Amino acid sequence: KLAKLHVAGKGDKASPMVAFGLFSTLCAYGDQRSCFELGLLYEVGDTVKQDFEAAGKYFEDSCASNFA
């Protein structure tokens, strides 16, 4: 939830790059929701450079682990 707040720009110190770091770390530990969120960040391209290939990888990983 903290990372989602950073993406949305909520709070005085919100930072999309902090969200990216949180999602990346949690995804590396196997949190599939975070992997999906990374896919969204890469798909949209507001926080990080738009990269459909990277987005697809994160979406496929989430899907393969049965994340709805």
Side-chain angles (χ1 to χ4, degrees):
K1 290 183 179 184
L2 176 62
K4 295 279 286 186
L5 290 173
H6 278 283
V7 168
K10 304 286 184 192
D12 294 338
K13 297 181 182 181
S15 168
M17 289 310 294
V18 170
F20 178 78
L22 290 169
F23 286 140
S24 295
T25 301
L26 292 170
C27 180
Y29 280 105
D31 180 62
Q32 294 307 309
R33 180 179 305 273
S34 295
C35 295
F36 177 78
E37 293 292 340
L38 274 176
L40 290 176
L41 292 178
Y42 278 110
E43 180 183 38
V44 173
D46 288 342
T47 303
V48 294
K49 184 177 178 190
Q50 191 173 45
D51 184 342
F52 293 119
E53 201 169 306
K57 176 205 169 294
Y58 287 111
F59 290 146
E60 284 179 20
D61 290 348
S62 293
C63 189
S65 67
N66 294 324
F67 177 76

